[in-house]
Structure formats: C-alpha cells, structure tokens
C-alpha cells in the first residue's frame, strides 16, 4: 500500500499549490475590484507592446 | 450637476452627482417624453439634444471632445456604446479643492492622492480616465477601482501638479473629490482579507479531509474489502494533520467572537459553534491516537467552511453598502472659502476655519460653518437644519447655521462657532444620549442560542449519565456516546439560518438603491409597528416644485436659459419643463439671475419688476416687449407619498408626522397625504421625546428623516431611515439610506425585512427540528462519522436552499 503514500503526497502538494495560488491572488489585490476586471477585458489597447509602462495591479485598494 | 439630465440606469451615478451638498440629478425627475421639432441632432460629446446644424450643446462638451480626440483616444466614443445606458458627461465648472492637504508623500519621492470619482458609468469611463493619465509623463500610478469608484493617483513632482492632473480629468466631465480612507474602512478591509484567507484554508482542508474520509468509510468493510489497520491509521493521521492547523487558523473569527461574548457573561451563536468544533476535534484526536475509527475531522472543517462562506458574503454585502454610503458623504463634503485679510480667498476644510474668520458663500452653496451674517440681505433655505420649508429672508446680524442653503446672492459670514460649539455638535451630543438610552438589541440567532446551548449540553450530560449508570457501560463508551450527541447537535444549520437570509436580503435591497448599514437593522425593521415621518425633504420633495404653469412657451424659454445655472430654483424650473434645449450666450450674474441677450431670468429686482414683495421662492422671466412672467415655487409631497402612506396603513402600521415646520404648512401636507396624527413646531429635543413616548407604549418605531434636527430622533427610534439627500449626520446615524425620488424604498425595505424574518424563523425551525430528530439516534449510540457528516451537510444545504427562496419571491 505504499502507492497510497505517493498518491496522498502528490494530491496534497497539488492542492497546497492551489491554496498558495489563491492566497497570492488575494494578496496582490485581484479581488479588490471585481467590476473593473470584468469591464477591462473588453478594451484592448492597440499600443499594448510589452514595453508599455506597467500600472501595478495593487495600485488601488 | 448636469441640468436637464437624462434618465440613467446606473443608480450610483444617477443618484450621486451632488455638488456641495445639493440634491442630485436624480431628484430633478425624468425629462418628459417627446422632443420638440427644432431638436434633430445630438451633441457629439454628451449626446443631449442640440438645435440642427450644431455639433455641441455647450463649449465644455466641445473642448472635452477636442481633448479626447487630440490625445488619440477617440475610440472612447465607440467603446462607451458597449453599454447602452451610458453617456459622456457634460463638463461643468468644478469647485476648487485644497488638494494639498490630502496628498501623501511616498518614501520613494512620488506623491499620492486618493479621489472619489463621480460620473463613472461603464468600463469606457475607466478606460478613458486611465488612458488620459497614462499619457502624462509624470504619472506613476493612475488606476480606477470601479467597485469602490475611487481613483488612486501617483506622480513624480510637486503638490501643484495635482491640480493640473485633476483638472485634466474634470474637463472630461467627471467630478473628483479628495477621499481620505478612514481608519475604519482600513480595518474593514483587513477583516475582509482575513475572512477570505480563513475561507481558503477551510476550503482546502474540507476538500482534502472529505476525500480521505470517503476512503476511510469505504475501507471499513461495508462496501469493499476492509483496509488494513496500518493504512487506516495513516489515513486518520493525515486527516488530523490537515484538519487541526486548518481549524486553529480558520476558526479564529468564531473563537474570538465567542470569547468576547463569554467575557461579557453573555452567549451568542459562536459559543456553541466553537465548543462543538473543539470537542469534535479533541475527541477525534483521541480516537486517532488510540487507533480507533470514530474521527470527525471532516465534519468539523466542513462546518467551519460553510459558516465562513456565510461570513464572507455577509461582510461583502454590508461592506459594499457602507462604502457607497461613505462615497455619498465624501462627494457632498465641501471646502469653505475663507476671505483673507488681504482680500484673497483661501479654500480650507471646514475643520480648519477659526472663530472670527470671514467665510464667503456663493449662491446655491451650502453654508459650512455656524456664524453671523456680516453684510447684506440673504434668502436662506434652512430646511435641513430646522425643518422650516419656506425660505427665510435674513439681514446682517442674523445667526446662521451650518447646513443652511444660500438661495440669494453671495454672502459673507463671520464664523462664531467651530467644533464642539456648533449646532451640529449639539445634535451629536443628543444622538449619543439617545443611543445610550436605546439599549442593546439582541438578535434572533443569539436569543435562540441562549436557550439552545444549555439544552444541548444538558442532553449530552443526561446521555452520559444514562449510559454510565443505567446501562452500566464503561466510562469511555459513555463519554463517546455523549460526545456524539454534541457533534450531531453542532449548530451548523442553526448558525447559517440567519446570516444566509441576511446576505440575500441585504444585497437585494442594495441593488434597489437601499443601503442597509447595520447588521441588526433587518430584524429591527421587521418588528416595526409605527412609522414616524419628518416632513420637509422626507415626505416632501427636496427640490421645490413649480406651482402651476402660467404659459408653457414661457416655461420652455425660461428653462432653456435656466439650464446654465446650478441654482436650486433654476434646476427646479428645468425639471418642470422636461426636455430642454440649452440657450446660447447665457451669462450668469451671481445671486441675481441669468441673461441671454435681452432676455432675463432671475430675481424680482434683476428683471426690473418694481411692485410687490416676494412671498416665497420665485423666478421672473423678462422678455423685451412682453409682460414679465412669474414662476412661483412651493414644497410639494414626493410623487408617491400619499400612496405609500396608504399602503403602510394597509400593512397595519401607524403613520405619524412630526415636523419642525409651522403648523399651517404641516397641516396642509398632512391633509394632502391623509395623515391625521401630526405634530408641528418640534425642535430636536421634542422629537426625541415624542419617539421615546411611543417606545414607552411598547411601540417599535421606524423614524424616517433627513435633517440635522431629525438626527437625534433617528438615533432614538428602534430603527431609522434617511434619504440620500439628507444631512451628513442623519445619513451617518440612519440604519438605512435610500436613494431616488420616491418613498417606495421604505415600503420595499419593510416588506423585505418581514419576509426575511419569516424565512429566518423557518430556517431556525428546520435546523432545530433536524437536530431534535437526530438526538435520539446519537443518544442510542447509533451515529457513525459518515452519518454525522451527511446530517450536517444536508441540514446546511436545506437551510441555504430555503433562504434562496427569498430571492425567487422577490423577482415575482
């Protein structure tokens, strides 16, 4: 039954990864402006080159 | 303010566009249907009607479009079409703010400013503002939060740059007001994040322990071949290692609240929850150590997860309501123009004005300080302060109070009182006294918990005694059975019964423009049996109404001129006229009137009408070669006031009217609305006394009022409501703030509260019934871990589903 050990460890690691990812998204303010995020995707910027000045996502609380 | 406003779907921007404490656009009413033959085109910026051949309705719109096109942001006009209800704003001359004192210098040398944005309608607005700021080289951060309607602006440079940057946005028609994030809001933000983190941890642990538990249950030999004891022990230990840290982390909100209640020698719903969770965890740990099968880690974590879902939603719904209320207040607070000894004008916050300072108040502005009128005569609207509806004529030496609206020419006021000495401060003292007398309201859930917890613990004790003495079972087995009783009665559904309903009701009211600020307000609203109204601004329209229309053509002409002014009477005239085409070349003579070529609109003296005296608010229209036309204004009841009063009566409520206005005015409105129980000439103390007298008779009073003079009575009543046009202090005190021109929200709120309370009762009955049914099983020692998990989840789901019915009922 050592296979169950592997399974447990793998599944828990994946789940812990998901938890960490959620915590990171929460910390970086991605849940602060749900309405804005829903609208922003509608407006693409033709000058959206990678070199564009970045507006930090955490700018508004 | 955008005169001749279009109807808009978004209640925030429609109801919030007040300038310096003035009633907002929404109260102008919607323009009448149908436009006139000359109107064939729409303004290329704001979309309001313009005469044929013209592109723009005003110079502001022309320059706004110029700026937008000039920056290469012309796509804005296409993008805003994505949201059918939105229009560009017509730029208005904005009042200047003293921004410097709100600017925060960052350690890296940049400056930062948080502003409340008025006029946001859709994503295109956010895009436009951010794009304009991104084109400014100095700007390091410019991001609009659409949920909270706030702009955070960061830049490299001096404080003076702020004025330029803010001015840039204001030329586009948005209004920006400095917004200092109060300490309270920051604390709320922290609590929200803490709840979310707890929810994430509880969700992680619940999913994983449940998965492992399924393995344990299946491996016990009922379904498949039993698994070996070593594997079983491993699964139990893994569950324990996931669940215990998660419970310690995610349970903190409940443990803290339970401890706080116990310290005050009270009990609330969190006490049995915490106790249950700890007992279940402790027992499961013991079982695990001893290598036995009865572990309930999954039940404990799932319980926390369900409860945290309720907490998070509740926090969100109420946080949003509070943030909106704060936004309303921030947009209305205005700086004061202080006249310096050298004749220059300094804009300062109300709290920075010293005694003896001379303060300038322009026409249509609200007075920000208590003081004495230094010179000239003035027409003052004191309805927010005293409840007096007819504007009063004041001469030099008259005492004026903060909150009074200046209807006449620009005034100079010598400040006599600041801070604790003002009328406002006096009212705040009355509010505090009234609140301390009101006593604490114990919510339904806690009332139930007070009886439920002892009953459950008694049951567990009896079970133990029965098994130990009567059945002669070993102490360990008796203890296990007694614990099973505690586990099965763990008030999961009970604890969800009330919050689930509250979340749904609060967010429903929020969508309807009613902000429920207090968590207990819903239950207090449901118990109401008497509604006490204030008159001025509550039962009556905050904007004066035109008395009759002498000549429709004259009204249209007057309104086309009046559109250019922010004066309250001009705005009332525009709203009476319906759809309006702005006249060209209008010049405003502050405090006197407006002139468009030879046509004049304004006061009696301005229009050259010599004879007679004004007997109330009025505007004259004077055209060359024609007799002057007079427009008289008077207060009028809100559109649906009479209907709502009748419907409240039909619901079995007693309706009363208590006003600070004079007897004849109060009687007139009371007669119109069919209210036979009224009191006139009441000062704030009388109002509080009247409310408390009603309370002594055992009545549960809903007080609806808007004035500073109503605020102590609002605090004294068992629950209170204010329109969004109310004085700041009233809105702060009121449990419910409603927006719009109608009184219907009061009725909707009362109905929703009653429905919510009955669903709460059903939920409580359901969950208690469930527990009662399961207790005999537990006491008989028949409950196994999988049964406990099934019972707990299904009862919670049942309560949730029952609460959702509230939403469905509402839609019909």
């Amino acid at each position: 039954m050592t296979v169950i050990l592997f399974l447990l460890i793998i599944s828990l690691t994946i789940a812990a990864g998901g938890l960490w990812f959620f915590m990171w998204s929460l910390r970086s303010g991605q849940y602060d402006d749900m309405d804005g995020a829903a609208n922003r995707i509608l407006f693409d910027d033709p000058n959206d080159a990678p070199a564009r000045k970045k507006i930090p996502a955490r700018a508004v609380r | 303010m955008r005169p001749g406003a279009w109807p808009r779907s978004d209640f925030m921007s429609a109801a919030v566009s007040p300038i310096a404490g003035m009633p907002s656009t929404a109260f102008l009413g919607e323009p009448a249907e149908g436009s006139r033959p000359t109107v064939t085109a729409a303004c290329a910026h704001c979309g309001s009607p313009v005469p044929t051949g013209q592109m723009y309705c005003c110079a502001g719109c022309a320059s706004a479009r110029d700026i937008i096109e000039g920056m290469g942001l012309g796509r804005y006009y296409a993008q805003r079409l994505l949201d059918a209800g939105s229009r560009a704003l017509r730029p208005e001359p904005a009042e200047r703010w003293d921004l410097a004192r709100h600017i925060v210098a960052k350690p890296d040398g940049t400056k930062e400013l948080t502003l409340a944005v008025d006029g946001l309608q859709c994503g295109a607005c956010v895009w436009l503002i951010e794009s304009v700021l991104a084109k400014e080289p100095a700007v390091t951060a410019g991001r609009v939060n659409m949920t909270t309607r706030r702009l955070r602006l960061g830049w490299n440079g001096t404080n003076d740059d702020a004025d330029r940057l803010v001015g840039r946005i204001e030329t586009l028609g948005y209004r920006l007001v400095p917004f200092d994030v109060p300490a309270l809001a920051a604390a709320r933000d922290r609590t929200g994040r803490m709840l979310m983190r707890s929810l994430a941890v509880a969700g992680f642990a619940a999913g994983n322990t449940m998965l492992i538990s399924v393995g344990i249950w299946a491996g016990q030999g009922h379904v498949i071949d039993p698994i070996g004891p070593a594997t079983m022990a491993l699964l139990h230990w893994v569950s324990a290692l996931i669940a215990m840290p998660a419970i310690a982390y995610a349970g903190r909100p409940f443990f803290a609240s339970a401890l706080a209640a116990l310290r005050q020698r009270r009990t609330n719903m969190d006490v049995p929850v915490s106790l249950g969770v700890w007992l279940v965890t402790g027992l499961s740990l013991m079982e695990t150590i001893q290598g036995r099968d009865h572990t309930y880690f999954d039940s404990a974590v799932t319980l926390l997860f369900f409860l945290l879902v309720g907490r998070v939603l509740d926090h969100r719904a109420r946080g949003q309501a509070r943030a909106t209320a704060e936004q309303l207040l921030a947009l209305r607070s205005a700086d004061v123009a202080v006249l310096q000894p050298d004749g220059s004008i300094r804009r300062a916050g109300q709290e920075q004005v010293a005694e003896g300072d001379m303060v300038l108040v322009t026409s249509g502005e609200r007075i920000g300080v208590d003081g004495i009128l230094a010179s000239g005569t003035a027409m003052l609207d004191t309805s927010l302060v005293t409840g007096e509806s007819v504007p009063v004529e004041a001469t030099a030496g008259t005492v004026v109070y903060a909150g009074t609206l200046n209807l006449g020419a620009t005034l100079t006021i010598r400040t006599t009182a600041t801070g604790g000495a003002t009328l406002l401060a006096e009212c705040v003292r009355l509010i505090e006294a009234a609140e301390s007398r009101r006593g604490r309201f114990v919510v339904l859930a806690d009332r139930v918990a007070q009886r439920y917890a002892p009953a459950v613990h008694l049951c567990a004790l009896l079970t133990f005694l029965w098994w130990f003495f009567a059945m002669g079972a070993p102490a360990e087995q008796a203890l296990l059975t007694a614990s099973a009783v505690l586990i099965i009665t763990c008030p999961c559904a009970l604890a969800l019964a009330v919050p689930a309903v509250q979340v749904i009701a609060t967010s429903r009211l929020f969508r309807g423009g009613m902000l429920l600020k207090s968590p207990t307000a819903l239950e207090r609203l449901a118990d109401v049996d008497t509604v006490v109204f204030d008159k001025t601004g509550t039962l009556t329209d905050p904007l004066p109404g035109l008395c009759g229309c002498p000549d429709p053509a004259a009204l249209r002409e007057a309104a086309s001129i009046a559109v250019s002014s922010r004066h309250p009477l001009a705005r009332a005239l525009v709203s009476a006229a319906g759809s309006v085409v702005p006249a060209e070349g209008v010049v405003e003579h502050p405090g006197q009137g407006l002139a468009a070529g030879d046509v004049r609109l304004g006061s009696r003296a301005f229009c050259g009408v010599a004879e007679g005296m004004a007997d109330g608010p009025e505007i004259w229209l004077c055209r060359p070669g024609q007799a002057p036309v007079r427009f008289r204004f008077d207060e009028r009841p809100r559109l649906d006031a009479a209907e709502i009063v009748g419907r409240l009566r039909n619901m079995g409520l007693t309706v009363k009217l208590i006003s600070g206005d004079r007897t004849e005015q109060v009687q007139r409105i009371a007669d119109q609305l069919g209210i036979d129980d009224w009191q006139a000439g009441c000062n704030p103390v009388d109002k509080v006394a009247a409310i408390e007298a009603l309370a002594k008779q055992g009545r549960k009073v809903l007080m609806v009022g808007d004035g500073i003079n109503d605020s102590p009575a609002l605090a004294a009543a068992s629950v209170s409501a204010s329109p969004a046009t109310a004085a700041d202090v009233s809105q702060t005190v009121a449990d419910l703030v409603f927006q719009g021109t109608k009184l219907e929200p009061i009725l909707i709120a009362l109905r929703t509260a009653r429905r919510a309370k009955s669903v709460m009762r059903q939920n409580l009955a359901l969950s208690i019934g469930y527990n009662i049914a399961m207790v005999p099983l537990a006491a008989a020692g028949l409950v196994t871990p999988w049964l406990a998990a099934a019972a707990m989840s299904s009862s919670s789901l049942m309560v949730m589903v029952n609460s959702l019915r509230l939403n469905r009922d509402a839609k019909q």
Side-chain angles (χ1 to χ4, degrees):
Chain A
M1 278 316 234
T2 36
V3 66
I4 210 164
L5 256 181
F6 284 106
L7 279 177
L8 275 174
I9 291 168
I10 291 169
S11 72
L12 283 179
T13 314
I14 292 173
L19 181 64
W20 178 85
F21 190 69
F22 178 79
M23 291 297 197
W24 168 82
S25 67
L26 188 67
R27 217 176 23 246
S28 65
Q30 298 190 26
Y31 291 87
D32 290 346
D33 183 13
M34 310 274 243
D35 298 342
N39 276 282
R40 268 169 219 280
I41 58 158
L42 297 173
F43 307 121
D44 46 8
D45 194 340
N47 311 320
D48 200 1
R52 208 188 83 185
K53 185 166 61 184
K54 273 255 175 86
I55 299 167
R58 285 213 230 169
V60 178
R61 283 279 143 78
Chain B
M1 197 58 57
R2 292 167 289 285
W6 44 82
R8 272 189 285 175
S9 53
D10 182 350
F11 89 79
M12 257 303 290
S13 48
V16 186
S17 26
I19 298 238
M22 278 203 222
S24 73
T25 344
F27 299 97
L28 290 172
E30 298 186 353
E33 287 299 317
S35 51
R36 287 157 47 224
T38 51
V39 181
T40 49
C43 171
H45 176 68
C46 74
S48 52
V50 291
T52 320
Q54 279 184 29
M55 256 190 92
Y56 299 105
C57 63
C58 57
C61 281
S63 73
R65 177 135 197 167
D66 266 2
I67 293 170
I68 293 172
E69 299 279 3
M71 294 180 100
L73 299 175
R75 284 184 305 127
Y76 163 71
Y77 293 100
Q79 285 179 342
R80 71 160 202 251
L81 295 178
L82 289 173
D83 187 345
S86 69
R87 303 272 183 89
L89 303 169
R90 178 187 291 173
E92 296 282 332
E95 66 262 55
R96 291 258 55 99
W97 288 87
D98 175 23
L99 293 175
R101 66 197 171 91
H102 300 279
I103 294 173
V104 182
K106 290 266 143 186
D108 60 357
T110 59
K111 301 282 172 66
E112 201 178 280
L113 184 61
T114 306
L115 300 137
V117 188
D118 181 32
L120 278 188
Q121 296 168 65
C122 63
C125 293
V126 173
W127 178 85
L128 180 64
I129 293 177
E130 286 180 0
S131 303
V132 167
L133 288 174
K135 299 216 179 228
E136 293 281 340
V139 172
T140 55
R143 195 161 162 112
V144 178
N145 183 325
M146 206 171 155
T147 314
T148 54
R149 285 154 198 280
R150 263 159 233 170
L151 165 67
R152 217 172 79 145
L153 183 62
W155 72 97
N156 274 316
T158 62
N159 285 356
D160 293 339
D161 289 336
D163 286 318
R164 189 174 54 80
L165 293 171
V166 168
R168 203 112 183 111
I169 309 288
E170 280 178 339
T171 49
L172 302 175
Y174 302 97
R175 217 164 70 80
L176 298 179
V177 173
F179 190 95
D180 291 324
V181 183
L184 202 66
R188 207 165 55 228
D189 215 42
R190 268 202 302 280
T191 319
R193 273 157 190 266
M194 206 266 265
L195 280 175
M196 277 293 261
R197 277 201 296 269
S198 301
L199 178 68
V201 169
F204 163 80
N208 285 293
T209 48
M210 192 57 85
L211 203 65
I212 294 170
S213 293
V214 172
I216 294 174
W217 301 334
Q220 276 167 350
H222 307 297
V223 189
I224 52 169
D225 291 342
I227 48 178
T231 316
M232 197 62 118
L234 170 74
L235 293 181
H236 280 310
W237 274 111
V238 172
S239 287
L241 287 180
I242 299 171
M244 287 193 306
I247 288 169
Y249 183 84
R252 286 175 307 159
F254 305 97
F255 306 151
S257 152
L259 265 183
L262 287 178
R263 263 199 213 113
Q264 292 172 29
R265 305 192 169 277
R266 291 184 299 115
T267 135
N268 60 12
M269 208 35 122
D270 290 332
V271 174
V273 167
S274 306
L275 206 62
V277 167
W278 278 118
L279 265 172
V280 170
T281 316
L283 178 80
S284 306
L285 186 63
M286 261 172 52
E287 288 276 296
T288 308
I289 292 172
Q290 293 175 359
R292 281 197 308 256
D293 273 352
H294 280 247
T295 66
Y296 298 88
F297 291 115
D298 54 318
S299 291
V301 191
T302 317
L303 168 71
L304 282 183
F305 177 66
F306 275 140
L307 292 179
L308 280 166
V309 169
R311 288 270 159 115
V312 166
L313 289 177
D314 187 47
H315 185 85
R316 289 233 150 178
R318 225 148 359 88
Q320 210 173 5
R322 283 229 196 87
T324 311
E326 275 166 19
Q327 176 96 348
L328 283 167
L329 292 183
L331 285 168
R332 290 151 34 104
S333 64
D335 279 359
V336 174
V338 181
L339 197 62
Q340 305 283 80
D342 61 1
S344 67
I345 289 169
R346 173 173 65 93
R347 305 240 37 140
Q350 288 169 8
E351 69 283 355
Q352 291 177 320
V353 180
E355 207 175 312
D357 277 354
M358 302 300 265
V359 170
L360 274 186
V361 185
T362 57
S363 176
E365 191 181 333
R366 247 181 228 294
I367 298 174
V369 294
D370 283 9
I372 291 174
L373 197 58
S375 62
T377 58
M379 184 67 103
L380 299 174
D381 174 0
T382 61
S383 57
L384 262 196
V385 185
T386 61
E388 176 95 22
S389 57
V390 177
V392 290
E393 196 107 30
T395 50
T398 311
V399 177
V400 292
Y401 296 106
T404 308
L405 187 65
N406 175 19
L407 292 177
T410 302
L411 303 176
T412 315
I413 288 166
R414 196 171 68 245
T415 312
T416 53
T418 51
T422 56
L423 177 73
L424 188 63
E426 179 61 38
C427 275
V428 170
R429 275 195 290 277
L430 276 174
I431 290 168
E432 280 163 5
E435 274 178 343
S436 68
R437 279 198 298 271
R438 181 157 76 175
R440 283 187 57 91
F441 178 81
V442 183
V443 295
L444 187 61
D446 289 348
R447 281 204 299 269
V448 171
Q450 276 163 12
R451 296 200 200 129
Y452 182 79
V456 164
H457 297 153
L458 193 68
C459 265
L461 184 66
L462 288 178
T463 309
F464 176 79
L465 295 177
W466 167 259
W467 279 87
F468 191 65
F469 291 109
M471 305 290 285
E476 210 175 63
Q477 198 201 337
L479 197 64
L480 193 68
T481 319
S483 305
V485 171
L486 278 181
I487 291 162
I488 208 73
T489 53
C490 195
C492 176
L494 203 58
L496 270 176
V498 172
V501 176
Q502 243 167 7
V503 170
I504 293 170
T506 307
S507 45
R508 236 202 89 212
L509 290 176
F510 182 76
R511 283 196 299 274
M514 288 156 269
L515 314 174
L516 205 57
K517 286 161 52 201
S518 150
T520 60
L522 201 64
E523 288 182 36
R524 284 184 278 142
L525 261 176
D527 295 335
V528 162
D529 57 10
T530 308
V531 184
V532 176
F533 283 104
D534 168 50
K535 182 180 69 73
T536 316
T538 306
L539 277 178
T540 64
D541 218 310
L543 212 58
L546 187 64
C547 296
C549 175
D551 172 7
L555 176 61
R556 270 207 302 274
E557 186 164 0
S560 71
I561 299 171
V563 154
S564 309
S565 171
R566 297 197 328 221
H567 193 279
L569 291 184
R571 286 176 33 243
L573 196 66
V574 172
S575 89
S579 94
V580 170
V581 179
E584 276 182 72
V586 178
V587 183
E588 180 152 14
H589 301 266
Q592 301 176 65
L594 303 151
D598 291 340
V599 185
R600 291 181 152 217
L601 181 75
S603 68
R604 202 170 267 264
F606 184 67
C607 291
V609 180
E611 71 274 17
M613 269 290 287
D615 59 350
E618 58 174 18
I619 293 187
W620 288 81
L621 174 70
C622 171
R623 292 167 291 187
Q626 293 183 49
V629 182
R630 176 194 191 205
F631 300 98
R632 223 169 64 75
F633 296 88
D634 204 348
E635 72 169 350
R636 56 173 179 193
R638 285 183 189 249
L639 281 176
D640 60 345
E643 187 199 339
I644 294 298
V645 166
R647 284 164 73 181
L648 286 174
R649 275 228 191 84
N650 289 344
M651 284 171 75
L653 299 163
T654 315
V655 180
K656 269 179 83 92
L657 171 57
I658 300 180
S659 171
D661 206 353
R662 285 164 305 159
T663 309
E664 56 266 36
Q665 288 281 353
V666 179
Q667 187 165 18
R668 186 173 66 87
I669 296 289
D671 287 349
Q672 271 185 36
L673 300 179
I675 300 174
D676 37 20
D677 191 357
W678 52 269
Q679 266 172 271
C682 293
N683 64 28
V685 181
D686 297 338
K687 288 191 176 192
V688 172
I691 299 278
E692 280 176 354
L694 284 168
K696 278 223 180 73
Q697 295 167 25
R699 289 181 168 276
K700 301 269 185 287
V701 181
L702 163 64
M703 171 83 199
V704 190
D706 72 324
I708 291 165
N709 61 334
D710 297 319
S711 50
L714 289 172
S718 71
V719 58
S720 50
S722 275
T725 45
D728 299 0
V729 58
S730 307
Q731 272 190 56
T732 312
V733 174
D735 298 303
L736 177 87
V737 176
F738 62 95
Q739 309 191 310
T741 50
K742 292 186 171 179
L743 276 181
E744 204 189 355
I746 299 280
L747 195 74
I748 296 175
L750 279 172
R751 278 228 188 98
T752 310
R754 285 185 175 190
R755 280 284 304 141
K757 183 130 189 185
S758 85
V759 175
M760 279 180 201
R761 287 227 175 87
Q762 289 164 15
N763 278 352
L764 289 173
L766 269 177
S767 51
I768 289 179
Y770 218 96
N771 284 334
I772 288 173
M774 295 303 283
V775 162
L777 279 184
L782 295 175
V783 167
T784 50
W786 69 266
L787 189 62
M792 192 170 284
S793 308
S794 61
S795 66
S796 299
L797 288 178
M798 211 159 67
V799 164
M800 286 291 214
V801 169
N802 189 46
S803 308
L804 284 172
R805 275 186 334 120
L806 192 65
N807 234 354
R808 208 193 51 202
D809 288 357
K811 275 177 197 143
Q812 286 163 0

